[in-house]
Amino acid sequence: MPEIVILAIESSCDDTSAAVCIDGKVVSNLTANQKIHEQYGGVVPELAGREHTKNIIPVVAEAIKKAGISKKDINAVAFTRGPGLMGSLLVGGIFAKSFAQALQIPLIDVNHMQAHVLAHFIDEPTPKLPFLCLTVSGGHTQIVLVKDYLDMQVIGETIDDAAGEAFDKTAKMLNLPYPGGPLIDKYAQLGNPNAFKFTEPQIEHLNFSFSGLKTNILYFLQKETKSNPNFISERLNDICASVQHTIISVLMKKIIKAAEETGINEIVIAGGVSANSELRKQLKIVGDKYQWNTYIPDFQYCTDNAGMIAITAHFKYLKADFCALDIPIQARLHF
């Protein structure tokens, strides 16, 4: 049986990534990060698109080279169709469409959020179907019931802000440089998670909300710094630890409820926030308590990367699930 060689491109936000997958094995996965956004304290969509345009050709070329193949060996090209920043998605999408048309090979569109879930099939061990995935990123917080590789159902999601956004906005309140989420994780490891009490949002069923928590943190910091201008610098570790504890407590309570309601004990985490050390630790602790089989992705597959696009495309290729060259990019793309 001939090899299935797929070139995958991910450009949904500010990372330009390309990967090559051969028969379901990711053999190269390269990402160019964009440092330009640091001075603005967040991603600037227009600048992100420009940087993708500069980065995409060298990143793709290096991914192909590292895989030890040539362009003529590629059977299909995959790309992130959405969700994401429109300008960024267009760069990756147009490149992939042009590549597929030039080589007369199939084109595969991939949902970015489904790809985060399927990143768990890049390396062993892999979860058994069906399983529950807690997907946590800067733009999304979801609980996904995964019945099959390409059959997923969102059974819980945020009704406003995502958990990752709560981390990032808190970091901004604390005057931490962008990206602030990893810094909160770093300082939290040195602090007391019970130093300060923040209100956990009480949302029905399996949905989430973090906008109220952000407001709670803002008012708390305003009150404390009014009486002590040095409060943040003096108590930074404890603030970070307390905020992180609250966010992760919300996440864990919801996934516990989802596991109880579905009777599923195969539990995974995915998305950029799955790189958070405390979330990874708590999943293991809670998993041991409830006798779950838990799965935590390798760090390189937590953040946006083309490896997850490639493995998703592999499963779609097996079903001949290809798309037309004129398929539209969708910044807001649902399952």
Side-chain angles (χ1 to χ4, degrees), residues 247-268:
I247 294 172
I248 292 174
S249 174
V250 172
L251 296 173
M252 287 295 100
K253 286 176 181 176
K254 291 292 186 177
I255 194 65
I256 289 170
K257 186 173 183 179
E260 290 174 343
E261 291 188 3
T262 61
I264 294 173
N265 68 348
E266 296 278 312
I267 312 294
V268 314

Side-chain angles (χ1 to χ4, degrees), residues 67-178:
I69 63 169
S70 66
K71 292 192 289 290
K72 64 179 175 56
D73 297 317
I74 299 171
N75 302 118
V77 58
F79 71 101
T80 302
R81 184 184 175 200
L85 301 176
M86 179 57 82
S88 296
L89 291 166
L90 282 170
V91 175
I94 291 171
F95 183 93
K97 291 178 179 183
S98 301
F99 197 100
Q101 186 174 35
L103 294 181
Q104 293 294 293
I105 57 177
L107 180 68
I108 303 173
D109 65 306
V110 173
N111 182 301
H112 180 83
M113 299 312 297
Q114 287 183 321
H116 269 305
V117 176
L118 294 179
H120 281 277
F121 292 93
I122 296 175
D123 292 328
E124 297 286 345
T126 60
K128 298 181 181 66
L129 295 164
F131 63 88
L132 292 175
C133 180
L134 174 63
T135 309
V136 196
S137 67
H140 297 82
T141 302
Q142 299 175 332
I143 297 177
V144 183
L145 170 58
V146 184
K147 304 170 187 177
D148 202 351
Y149 301 116
L150 301 175
D151 184 4
M152 307 180 191
Q153 177 187 357
V154 177
I155 59 174
E157 61 186 333
T158 181
I159 61 173
D160 43 56
D161 299 332
E165 187 176 353
F167 275 114
D168 291 338
K169 291 295 176 61
T170 298
K172 204 163 189 176
M173 295 177 207
L174 298 174
N175 299 313
L176 297 177
Y178 174 84

Side-chain angles (χ1 to χ4, degrees), residues 10-17 31-38 42-45 47-49 51-52 55 84-85 88-89 178-179 303-304:
E10 152 60 22
S11 66
S12 63
C13 190
D14 61 334
D15 290 331
T16 312
S17 187
T31 301
N33 304 117
Q34 300 180 3
K35 301 293 184 183
I36 194 170
H37 305 286
E38 293 178 0
V43 177
V44 181
L47 295 179
E51 291 297 301
H52 282 302
N55 293 336
L85 301 176
S88 296
L89 291 166
Y178 174 84
T303 53
D304 296 345

Side-chain angles (χ1 to χ4, degrees), residues 131-249:
F131 63 88
L132 292 175
C133 180
L134 174 63
T135 309
V136 196
S137 67
H140 297 82
T141 302
Q142 299 175 332
I143 297 177
V144 183
L145 170 58
V146 184
K147 304 170 187 177
D148 202 351
Y149 301 116
L150 301 175
D151 184 4
M152 307 180 191
Q153 177 187 357
V154 177
I155 59 174
E157 61 186 333
T158 181
I159 61 173
D160 43 56
D161 299 332
E165 187 176 353
F167 275 114
D168 291 338
K169 291 295 176 61
T170 298
K172 204 163 189 176
M173 295 177 207
L174 298 174
N175 299 313
L176 297 177
Y178 174 84
L183 290 175
I184 288 184
D185 186 10
K186 175 184 175 182
Y187 295 128
Q189 295 177 47
L190 305 172
N192 175 9
N194 298 308
F196 306 109
K197 181 71 174 176
F198 297 107
T199 303
E200 292 188 13
Q202 302 299 312
I203 304 300
E204 288 185 3
H205 197 43
L206 299 176
N207 287 331
F208 301 87
S209 169
F210 291 98
S211 63
L213 175 60
K214 287 194 313 182
T215 304
N216 184 206
I217 295 167
L218 175 63
Y219 288 165
F220 166 79
L221 293 175
Q222 288 176 338
K223 176 184 175 183
E224 295 296 333
T225 53
K226 187 174 183 179
S227 57
N228 177 13
N230 299 318
F231 175 74
I232 291 176
S233 60
E234 291 173 358
R235 302 297 301 275
L236 180 62
N237 295 341
D238 288 340
I239 298 168
C240 289
S242 299
V243 169
Q244 180 169 274
H245 172 77
T246 305
I247 294 172
I248 292 174
S249 174

Side-chain angles (χ1 to χ4, degrees), residues 30 39 52 62 196 268 326:
L30 285 85
Q39 60 187 299
H52 282 302
E62 187 61 26
F196 306 109
V268 314
D326 62 353

